[in-house]
Amino acid sequence: KGTTDANVALKAANDAVASMNSMLSAAGIVISNPTLDTSDSSQFVVSADVTVNGTTDFCAIARPLSTTTTDNNTSASDAVSNAAQNSAAASSVKTVSSAANPITASSGAVIKATGDNTAVVFAVAALAVVGMLGLRPTLAAIRAKKRIALANKETMVCAGQIMQAAARESGAEIIPVDSEHSAIFQCLTGREGELHKILLTGSGGPFRGWTREQTADVTPEMAVKHPNWSMGAKISVDSATMMNKGLEFIEAMHLFAVRPEDIEILIHPESVVHSAVELLDGTVIAQLGVADMELPIQYALTWPERRPSAAERLDLTALAGLHFLKPDFEKLPCLALAVDCAKRGGTAPTVLSAANEAAVALFLSRRLGYNEIYDCVAAALGSIDFIAEPSLEDILAADAAARAFVRERFS
């Protein structure tokens, strides 16, 4: 909305949408429920927290039934609506716009996520924007028994128990989009009751092995240069601090109904093994592939089918080797903090996620040092009231309180 943080969010959203545009146009994916007529590509929802040019491009390619935006720029909102109207298979398309009350705009997404004509809901939050805006629409879609292609980890990290309880009650399917969780999901398909341990992999980021003293002078430009993946700024910083792996740890607990002690984090510099599972008899099954989000996105949208992909193929003979290391939690305090929050449960993961998001935004706008990201999050966790069994409103309140704490204390 004209601030430095919003500019960072806008670029990240543009990057994310550009990646999806590329994937759709290259792979020619038809997005629909595989149980329906696959010639109809109109049965899904696009919900964007920030309206950008890329969103209108996405509408032109994917022909969504409806779009929702929380942007207060009327011309931008109209552009998205017009793009959807010009390309949608259905005749009735509306765009909800509200900057004064995000929940009102979110309610527009709820209506679209629960509509009778919606078969697949792709749940994604624009990077570095208030990720919790995706919580209500996603929960509403789950309660309406929609299939969720889950790309918004905040909803599962902060409200995983609520989401999974709603899914069990309604019978909704939640298909993970994150590469690691997609890998675990694929390894566990058809293996109910056989899991012994999840092996959650991560590259270690650009500062693997660095001490806190060495990372003291890290700049945003350094932090966003991930060695293997091309991602938005916020998630790149999270990967550098390995907070992202901590959030994925919490997400995996809820997605696969396991305890913290049932997950082992492994540093895997090559990013070829996206994750693995160890079964009861000691067998390890892993999912390998190139570092390309096209593959897990496509699988989430076409599951349970597999379809041809334009992604690069993995050449095992070109690999010099695959390496796996245990993380050094002393050098990775954000990861240690996240694992601790996973064990605490309650509102701790919400405060962790919200405080981190606010702190990373300050870092990217050069108002906070790299090592201070951890300091911000730790301070928020020590200051915000903890609730062991939170309601949805408790979670939303904890999220808001954590963001406000970081802005007021560290801006």
Side-chain angles (χ1 to χ4, degrees):
K1 307 299 188 293
T3 67
T4 303
D5 291 352
N7 289 332
V8 171
L10 193 64
K11 182 182 183 306
N14 260 319
D15 290 345
V17 173
S19 296
M20 178 161 283
N21 281 346
S22 176
M23 180 272 289
L24 286 168
S25 59
I29 296 172
V30 175
I31 303 177
S32 68
N33 187 326
T35 62
L36 301 177
D37 178 2
T38 55
S39 65
D40 179 5
S41 61
S42 66
Q43 295 180 317
F44 71 102
V45 171
V46 176
S47 178
D49 291 338
V50 177
T51 300
V52 292
N53 291 336
T55 308
T56 60
D57 295 338
F58 179 88
C59 291
I61 293 173
R63 295 188 293 124
L65 178 64
S66 58
T67 62
T68 297
T69 173
T70 58
D71 200 310
N72 64 340
N73 184 324
T74 302
S75 60
S77 298
D78 288 345
V80 176
S81 180
N82 291 338
Q85 288 175 335
N86 291 336
S87 59
S91 60
S92 176
V93 180
K94 296 181 180 179
T95 297
V96 177
S97 177
S98 171
N101 185 357
I103 297 302
T104 299
S106 180
S107 298
V110 168
I111 293 170
K112 291 163 179 58
T114 58
D116 290 340
N117 291 326
T118 301
V120 180
V121 177
F122 195 92
V124 58
L127 303 179
V129 184
V130 182
M132 292 292 281
L133 282 176
L135 197 157
R136 289 186 187 275
T138 305
L139 183 57
I142 289 173
R143 288 171 173 163
K145 200 179 179 180
K146 304 301 179 181
R147 175 178 297 169
I148 310 298
L150 186 67
N152 178 356
K153 64 168 53 71
E154 287 88 353
T155 57
M156 196 58 69
V157 167
C158 303
Q161 289 184 326
I162 294 174
M163 293 290 170
Q164 292 291 44
R168 286 192 297 271
E169 183 176 345
S170 70
E173 298 167 328
I174 300 177
I175 314 300
V177 170
D178 247 350
S179 61
E180 295 83 357
H181 302 97
S182 176
I184 297 164
F185 179 80
Q186 293 178 62
C187 291
L188 286 178
T189 298
R191 302 186 182 281
E192 186 174 354
E194 296 181 17
L195 177 67
H196 173 65
K197 181 170 59 176
I198 287 172
L199 303 174
L200 181 66
T201 61
S203 71
F207 313 125
R208 184 177 63 252
W210 287 31
T211 64
R212 288 270 288 172
E213 289 73 22
Q214 290 175 301
T215 57
D217 297 323
V218 164
T219 65
E221 290 78 11
M222 296 166 64
V224 299
K225 291 182 179 179
H226 194 280
N228 301 329
W229 293 90
S230 177
M231 304 181 292
K234 193 268 181 182
I235 193 171
S236 293
V237 174
D238 284 350
S239 294
T241 64
M242 288 206 70
M243 177 64 82
N244 190 55
K245 200 55 51 183
L247 296 174
E248 290 173 358
F249 185 98
I250 301 170
E251 185 180 7
M253 285 174 51
H254 294 300
L255 281 171
F256 305 108
V258 297
R259 305 165 300 172
E261 54 265 36
D262 297 327
I263 305 174
E264 180 181 355
I265 297 173
L266 295 174
I267 305 299
H268 172 48
E270 292 83 9
S271 296
V272 172
V273 176
H274 298 301
S275 276
V277 298
E278 180 183 332
L279 303 182
L280 294 174
D281 62 358
T283 297
V284 174
I285 298 178
Q287 190 265 329
L288 285 69
V290 295
D292 187 342
M293 280 304 298
E294 173 183 327
L295 293 170
I297 290 172
Q298 175 171 325
Y299 188 67
L301 295 173
T302 64
W303 181 86
E305 298 177 9
R306 287 188 187 271
R307 299 184 186 176
S309 166
E312 180 184 347
R313 301 288 165 150
L314 177 64
D315 182 0
L316 292 173
T317 65
L319 299 176
L322 299 176
H323 302 85
F324 302 91
L325 309 166
K326 290 184 179 294
D328 185 336
F329 287 99
E330 288 189 7
K331 293 179 180 178
L332 300 167
C334 285
L335 178 59
L337 202 59
V339 172
D340 180 66
C341 287
K343 294 175 180 177
R344 290 179 64 194
T347 50
T350 298
V351 173
L352 175 89
S353 175
N356 174 71
E357 192 169 311
V360 170
L362 292 175
F363 167 70
L364 288 171
S365 62
R366 303 181 191 280
R367 288 181 282 170
L368 197 71
Y370 179 83
N371 285 351
E372 291 178 294
I373 294 172
Y374 165 79
D375 298 333
C376 280
V377 180
L381 284 164
S383 301
I384 306 299
D385 289 340
F386 173 77
I387 300 175
E389 297 184 7
S391 66
L392 182 60
E393 296 307 320
D394 291 332
I395 290 170
L396 293 170
D399 177 89
R403 294 175 193 277
F405 175 86
V406 172
R407 286 194 298 266
E408 294 168 7
R409 183 71 64 89
F410 295 93
S411 294

